[in-house]
Amino acid sequence: MDKLRITGGRTLKGEIDISGAKNAALPILCAGLLTADTVTLTNVPKLNDIATTLKLLGQLGVRTDRASDDTVSITADQLTALEAPYELVKTMRASILVLGPLLARFGEARVSLPGGCAIGQRPVDQHIQGLAALGADIKIEHGFVVARAKKLKGAVVRTDMVTVTGTENLMMAAVLADGQTILENAAREPEVVDLAELLIKMGARIKGHGTDRIVIEGVASLHGATHDVIPDRIEAGSFLCAVGAAGGDIMLRRAAPATMGATISKLQEAGLTIQTGDDWIQASMHKRPKAVDFRTHEYPGFATDMQAQLMALNTIADGTSVIAETIFENRFMHVQELLRLGANIDIDGHTAVVRGVDRLSGATVMATDLRASASLVIAGLAAEGETLVERIYHLDRGYERMEHKLRALGAQIERISS
């Protein structure tokens, strides 16, 4: 099993490109199920989650072609199955995103329930309730969500909670429904907006994406399109936290700072000097960071996917910070590993109190989930001595060649096989 070996204490300097957003690419790949025409996507990151999605689409009979490192074409003209099996869904909960498109276009779908999740519950009941409101007959049979509908019909759907994948699934279902659908309490994330922009290119009629009220006028069919996936705001934020912890000067190219307001504001509060353009971010840090309090929240608030990384920065900051996690109930599992590096953190329910220490010390730590793994890498860059990060298959789910990019910035980091 691969590990990362990091020798800390080196400042970061240089330029890197930010990859396409995993959380945008996954639903966009599933949107290809809505048409028999070819959908061509560029800026698709090379990640394990992307590979899993392409494997799932292949099992459904979709023809996929990775023409280059970042270009993928998908053609769903001759599907051979309408089922997403547990073997794939259990490795990536985003597989639930095939439910809406399959139901809308083919009138039937059978998708395994995702099961447990390391960082907390991600219930699919909002997906099921929303699709039922659109006229689907849905049953839970032998661990599968089995959905059928001769033709979905537009309706007003208000989810009980803000759910990104729920909004995406319902939006993809509604574009082929009869009549108007209004999604209230919709997620506003940039990844939801990116999906809507692709669907519009495919012929969908959508307004209000980026707000909490999305209005969709159903159409008879969609056609092919070409779309460039937005840059990954979480990857960019992670590298900003890395330079904040290790110090130095970096330039992030092919970034989308307009989607990163809450992250950039908090890092500036921590002491980073940050300048931005339309598609670049320049950041420098030449002093000890200042402790910053924050609370995770749905977009445009501070992303739960950035909580672990900013906590890692806070471990060596001057002062005490209070971090409130409001999205997932188990998203502090990285704390025990940060403690192994010498951090001073107390947990009380959904709140963490981080007292900054002068320095961290390298140790062997274990990644427990995707963003936790990034936080351990960031802490390792700042720690004295050698840090070994185990179970980095979590990291590979959402960061494209992270060690290569960090080496390009001057970090001493390598992947080793045990």
Side-chain angles (χ1 to χ4, degrees), residues 37-370:
D37 296 342
T38 298
V39 175
T40 301
L41 307 172
T42 57
N43 203 32
V44 179
K46 293 191 74 174
L47 303 170
N48 286 354
D49 275 9
I50 298 297
T52 299
T53 301
L54 293 175
K55 184 177 180 181
L56 172 58
L57 293 175
Q59 287 197 6
L60 297 174
V62 178
R63 289 183 287 121
T64 65
D65 176 32
R66 188 141 205 163
S68 65
D69 272 355
D70 72 344
T71 302
V72 175
S73 295
I74 51 180
T75 309
D77 57 346
Q78 296 180 359
L79 262 64
T80 56
L82 299 174
E83 177 178 310
Y86 179 67
E87 288 69 27
L88 289 176
V89 176
K90 71 178 181 181
T91 65
M92 189 190 66
R93 298 179 59 87
S95 302
I96 194 70
L97 286 166
V98 302
L99 178 61
L102 288 176
L103 181 63
R105 183 170 164 218
F106 299 99
E108 184 180 347
R110 180 179 163 87
V111 179
S112 173
L113 286 167
C117 178
I119 61 173
Q121 295 302 310
R122 301 188 186 188
V124 299
D125 60 325
Q126 301 301 304
H127 304 239
I128 293 171
Q129 292 172 20
L131 292 172
L134 296 178
D137 176 37
I138 302 182
K139 298 177 181 177
I140 307 298
E141 298 178 351
H142 308 293
F144 281 81
V145 179
V146 180
R148 296 181 177 86
K150 289 184 178 179
K151 183 68 175 178
L152 296 175
K153 299 187 182 302
V156 177
V157 180
R158 179 178 177 84
T159 54
D160 297 333
M161 57 187 288
V162 177
T163 161
V164 174
T165 54
T167 298
E168 291 165 342
N169 232 342
L170 295 173
M171 186 163 59
M172 288 189 283
V175 293
L176 293 181
D178 281 340
Q180 183 184 83
T181 297
I182 299 175
L183 303 181
E184 296 186 341
N185 201 28
R188 301 165 59 186
E189 271 70 5
E191 295 78 17
V192 174
V193 175
D194 202 35
L195 172 62
E197 291 296 331
L198 166 66
L199 293 172
I200 290 169
K201 290 178 182 178
M202 295 170 66
R205 298 172 62 191
I206 304 173
K207 293 182 179 179
H209 44 298
T211 76
D212 61 2
R213 186 176 187 270
I214 302 175
V215 180
I216 304 156
E217 300 288 346
V219 297
S221 63
L222 298 182
H223 51 72
T226 299
H227 184 74
D228 193 48
V229 176
I230 60 170
D232 196 319
R233 60 191 172 103
I234 305 303
E235 184 195 28
S238 299
F239 280 105
L240 293 179
C241 286
V243 75
D249 299 273
I250 65 171
M251 169 74 80
L252 305 181
R253 301 181 302 249
R254 298 180 67 180
T259 67
M260 298 174 57
T263 295
I264 289 174
S265 292
K266 280 298 172 184
L267 289 172
Q268 288 174 325
E269 187 180 333
L272 275 77
T273 299
I274 298 177
Q275 295 180 305
T276 64
D278 289 342
D279 61 355
W280 57 266
I281 304 171
Q282 189 169 23
S284 61
M285 189 68 164
H286 298 286
K287 57 187 177 183
R288 185 181 182 186
K290 292 182 290 187
V292 292
D293 300 335
F294 64 95
R295 172 183 294 269
T296 63
H297 204 274
E298 294 88 358
Y299 192 84
F302 191 88
T304 182
D305 278 357
M306 280 300 305
Q307 178 255 107
Q309 299 92 307
L310 187 49
M311 180 186 287
L313 178 60
N314 271 332
T315 62
I316 58 165
D318 182 16
T320 298
S321 58
V322 178
I323 300 170
E325 173 58 58
T326 70
I327 308 297
F328 292 120
E329 64 270 23
N330 295 332
R331 204 157 202 176
F332 283 147
M333 290 190 296
H334 49 281
V335 169
Q336 293 302 317
E337 303 305 306
L338 290 172
L339 293 177
R340 289 181 51 79
L341 297 171
N344 184 346
I345 307 170
D346 290 318
I347 300 294
D348 183 8
H350 300 299
T351 302
V353 178
V354 184
R355 297 174 179 85
V357 298
D358 291 338
R359 61 183 61 84
L360 300 174
S361 299
T364 298
V365 292
M366 181 181 68
T368 53
D369 62 71
L370 169 55

